[in-house]
Amino acid sequence: MRKKIVAGNWKMNNNKEETAQLIAALKAKGSFAGVEVKVAPTSIHLVQAVDALIDSAIEVIGQNMHQATNGAYTGEISASMLQSIGVNSVILGHSERRAYFNETDEALAEKVATAVKHDMEVVFCFGEELADRQNEQHFKVVEEQLSKALFSLPNTAWGKIVLAYEPVWAIGTGETASPEQAQEMHAFIRGLVAQQYDASVAENVAILYGGSVKSANAQEIFSKPDVDGGLIGGAALNADDFFAIVQSI
Ligand code: 13P
């Protein structure tokens, strides 16, 4: 049976004290059965978060990582730096990284390859923009994003890949894909993976949905057979809301 995952992407939110408070509030919620829970604080709070969550089932993951092993890349973070502080999973390809930091499919392919080489888990984000959906190009766009960044990976790498379908028009907008739209796209994605690899790889890859998931809509979205959890932005900044979403799975 494939994994169920709920991950909180905290983006560029929370100072040191607020990070400590959110972690303490999450820890107070107790354990989470049958679901992997992950949180992605901003990079300067990763050490603090790993330390605070050392005795908890909540995993700390990175929001981004550079493709090079090391070198003159001011402001960047490498895979081995993340691993050296106990972070073994990283979000790559978020639409905000693509839109505001010019991350291309080609650069993302390199980042994914570097993460895989370091035996890190990758939560790979992708999804169409509003105009793509309006022009009925959404399947094509998603296929291209996956194909360019992931489909050169060997079968064996897929044990470390988590897919996160995040339609750009649903991120931070309050507008969610309907459960049916999410299921339709997730089934399409699983079909692509089956076509490119095999049925077993496709069956085992977790596909998360992201984009305005709240406690009020999580259950309906998560009830769809090809939706294996969520990547949560705004609602992950509040422990009660995030916990309610985790419990919806
Ligand atoms: P929101 O849940 O705030 O729409 O953000 C989703 C997201 O981008 C998670 O990575």
Side-chain angles (χ1 to χ4, degrees):
M1 219 178 66
R2 60 180 173 260
K3 294 181 208 168
K4 299 273 183 202
I5 300 171
V6 177
N9 176 8
W10 295 354
K11 307 190 181 182
M12 197 175 73
N13 292 295
N14 291 337
N15 64 22
K16 186 178 179 189
E17 184 53 34
E18 289 159 346
T19 299
Q21 282 169 3
L22 181 51
I23 289 172
L26 286 173
K27 280 179 81 170
K29 295 293 182 190
S31 61
F32 314 97
V35 51
E36 283 187 16
V37 179
K38 304 172 193 283
V39 294
T42 188
S43 59
I44 61 163
H45 298 138
L46 285 171
V47 171
Q48 169 193 354
V50 169
D51 286 350
L53 289 166
I54 204 91
D55 53 353
S56 132
I58 301 174
E59 184 187 4
V60 178
I61 72 174
Q63 291 183 14
N64 184 35
M65 187 201 89
H66 196 269
Q67 57 270 42
T69 309
N70 66 289
Y73 300 100
T74 300
E76 292 291 328
I77 298 168
S78 71
S80 58
M81 286 173 186
L82 289 172
Q83 289 187 301
S84 71
I85 57 161
V87 173
N88 293 298
S89 176
V90 64
I91 297 171
L92 293 176
H94 195 281
S95 65
E96 289 147 19
R97 299 290 321 169
R98 294 175 190 257
Y100 308 138
F101 303 97
N102 305 317
E103 289 196 4
T104 60
D105 292 320
E106 292 69 25
L108 289 169
E110 290 181 33
K111 287 187 180 214
V112 171
T114 300
V116 165
K117 195 169 125 199
H118 282 80
D119 208 25
M120 291 185 73
E121 178 188 75
V122 173
V123 179
F124 186 77
C125 304
F126 55 95
E128 82 282 2
E129 295 186 19
L130 183 59
D132 301 323
R133 186 161 277 266
Q134 284 168 338
N135 297 327
E136 298 184 4
Q137 295 296 302
H138 44 298
F139 293 118
K140 183 166 168 274
V141 167
V142 161
E143 179 167 2
E144 234 172 72
Q145 289 172 327
L146 291 177
S147 151
K148 286 185 178 164
L150 299 183
F151 286 172
S152 300
L153 291 172
N155 268 39
T156 49
W158 279 78
K160 291 284 185 178
I161 303 292
V162 173
L163 300 178
Y165 169 59
E166 298 204 306
V168 179
W169 48 271
I171 296 177
T173 58
E175 190 176 341
T176 330
S178 69
E180 292 70 31
Q181 284 173 320
Q183 169 56 27
E184 183 186 36
M185 182 58 89
H186 284 219
F188 172 74
I189 294 161
R190 207 176 295 288
L192 286 178
V193 176
Q195 215 175 68
Q196 188 66 28
Y197 293 91
D198 59 41
S200 148
V201 172
E203 189 48 41
N204 286 311
V205 68
I207 310 177
L208 315 184
Y209 169 80
S212 297
V213 177
K214 310 276 177 238
S215 52
N217 59 26
Q219 197 159 17
E220 216 190 338
I221 297 171
F222 294 165
S223 71
K224 295 296 177 190
D226 286 298
V227 179
D228 305 310
L231 183 56
I232 319 302
L237 296 172
N238 177 288
D240 290 338
D241 291 344
F242 187 63
F243 187 63
I245 292 170
V246 170
Q247 284 188 310
S248 304
I249 206 150

